Amino acid sequence: MRAVVLDGPGQLAAERVDDPTPTPDGVVVAVRDCGICGTDLHLVDGDLGTDRFPLVPGHEPWGEVVAVGRDVTGYPVGTLVAVDPSLHCGRCDPCRRGHGNMCLAWGAVGATRPGAWAEYTAVPAANLYRLDESFPLAAAPLAEPVACAVRGLHRLAPRPDEPAVVFGAGTMGLILAILLDARGVGPVTLVDTNPARRELAARLTGARVTDPDGVAGHRVPWVIEATGSPSAFTAALDCVARAGHLLVFGVAAPEATAGVSPYRIYADELTILGSMAILRSFPAAVDTLRRHADRLAPLVTDRFPLADVAAALALVRSGRTVKTLLTPGLGG
Ligand SMILES: [Zn+2]
Ligand SMILES: [Zn+2]
């Protein structure tokens, strides 16, 4: 099959590799689309500390089951599925306490085992979510990012009719803004330094969109940091009202730090929360996509064949796109 292989930081090429075969408890999925996200850029750049090269990236696939392991039931060939990439051991202390996303042996399809920037990907059947005949397939490529956003909002638990600010108008910021609005939280303001992103965000979300100056001095009860930038974290914390909540959703560099005022956290009774990847949020994400496909599906803005992965990554880095996909069926 054709697959995008990462041989080391920055060393990426579409190549021919062996077709995967299913493990006894897994299936092989023919990938219809697989998203590119900010985490993939970090992976490609080699700044996640991953050294499991060569690696086929890609953790946001959906597609069709084409081969089934001998112990798998319920996912016959032809079933359309979205894939939760999370791999939890189920045995370590965090897993046993119900925090599988904190698994001491945490892994993910497309990070610690071969992923889905490929024609086919082998995944455990336990990670599959069926997309039935009535599912709006235009929204299917967003299952994984929406599952991350649903997990984040589960952590934040914002109240309806209260204002929210989201820092970062990338794909995740837009999804979070749309889901906040769908829950009746608002008004929602999206903040981004990039004018191209702001223009796309205004068109696709209906939220108020501004540069950071537009929220300077504003304080709201619900704030989400979805950039990973330490300076945005500082600006986001400045934006939290008394007794307010900040969700740290963006992926900062592991060594990055940002100054905070302990006095303010004390005196203003601030709550600062983290949200890492997906935890039991995939079923809710599939349901959310079904109900809000009209608003979410337009976030898929670009599709590239596997051979054009370099152009696809360049577009993602430019900010002139929302969700860019690699689509093996486009050939090339
Ligand atoms: Zn992702
Ligand atoms: Zn574990």
Side-chain angles (χ1 to χ4, degrees):
M1 67 168 179
R2 285 168 299 131
V4 174
V5 180
L6 181 63
D7 282 312
Q11 297 169 42
L12 202 64
E15 297 173 6
R16 289 236 161 240
V17 302
D18 291 341
D19 286 353
T21 51
T23 56
D25 63 350
V27 304
V28 172
V29 173
V31 178
R32 293 276 181 95
D33 300 295
C34 184
I36 300 172
C37 86
T39 309
D40 295 315
L41 298 182
H42 290 300
L43 188 71
V44 169
D45 293 343
D47 51 35
L48 287 185
T50 321
D51 52 5
R52 299 172 199 234
F53 305 118
L55 174 73
V56 177
H59 60 270
E60 302 182 355
W62 77 279
E64 181 178 345
V65 174
V66 292
V68 181
R70 65 163 190 265
D71 297 340
V72 175
T73 55
Y75 294 98
V77 167
T79 307
L80 295 180
V81 292
V83 178
D84 180 349
S86 318
L87 301 169
H88 308 157
C89 80
R91 295 181 296 276
C92 71
D93 186 54
C95 278
R96 290 163 68 100
R97 289 166 49 229
H99 302 292
N101 61 335
M102 299 288 106
C103 176
L104 300 179
W106 188 87
V109 171
T112 55
R113 63 183 265 167
W117 290 358
E119 288 183 274
Y120 303 100
T121 189
V123 293
N127 291 50
L128 301 179
Y129 292 87
R130 181 190 312 277
L131 306 174
D132 64 27
E133 303 78 55
S134 66
F135 187 85
L137 294 179
L142 297 168
E144 194 273 351
V146 168
C148 293
V150 167
R151 162 70 180 154
L153 294 186
H154 178 77
R155 290 278 289 156
L156 186 64
R159 281 194 289 271
D161 298 318
E162 295 189 354
V165 173
V166 180
F167 283 76
T171 308
M172 294 316 306
L174 268 57
I175 290 172
L176 286 160
I178 289 170
L179 297 192
L180 284 166
D181 183 65
R183 289 170 179 230
V185 180
V188 178
T189 302
L190 264 165
V191 181
D192 205 289
T193 56
N194 181 324
R197 278 216 185 94
R198 289 201 299 272
E199 193 273 319
L200 274 168
R203 187 147 53 80
L204 291 168
T205 66
R208 175 176 171 254
V209 183
T210 179
D211 65 8
D213 289 343
V215 290
H218 289 226
R219 288 204 164 162
V220 300
W222 310 102
V223 181
I224 301 178
E225 199 305 286
T227 75
S229 142
S231 62
F233 170 85
T234 304
L237 191 59
D238 282 346
C239 207
V240 182
R242 304 190 82 190
H245 294 66
L246 171 63
L247 178 69
V248 181
F249 188 92
V251 184
E255 67 281 7
T257 58
V260 300
S261 157
Y263 178 78
R264 244 203 98 214
I265 296 171
Y266 154 76
D268 288 357
E269 285 201 342
L270 304 186
T271 302
I272 301 175
L273 298 148
S275 173
M276 208 295 279
I278 291 166
L279 185 65
R280 294 187 291 276
S281 52
F282 231 90
V286 171
D287 180 58
T288 297
L289 283 164
R290 187 190 296 282
R291 285 186 291 118
H292 301 291
D294 56 328
R295 297 187 67 186
L296 290 165
L299 300 187
V300 173
T301 47
D302 298 276
R303 279 186 163 86
F304 287 83
L306 294 172
D308 292 349
V309 61
L313 290 173
L315 180 66
V316 173
R317 289 182 201 277
S318 78
R320 292 191 308 276
T321 177
V322 184
K323 185 44 102 180
T324 296
L325 307 176
L326 289 177
T327 303
L330 290 177

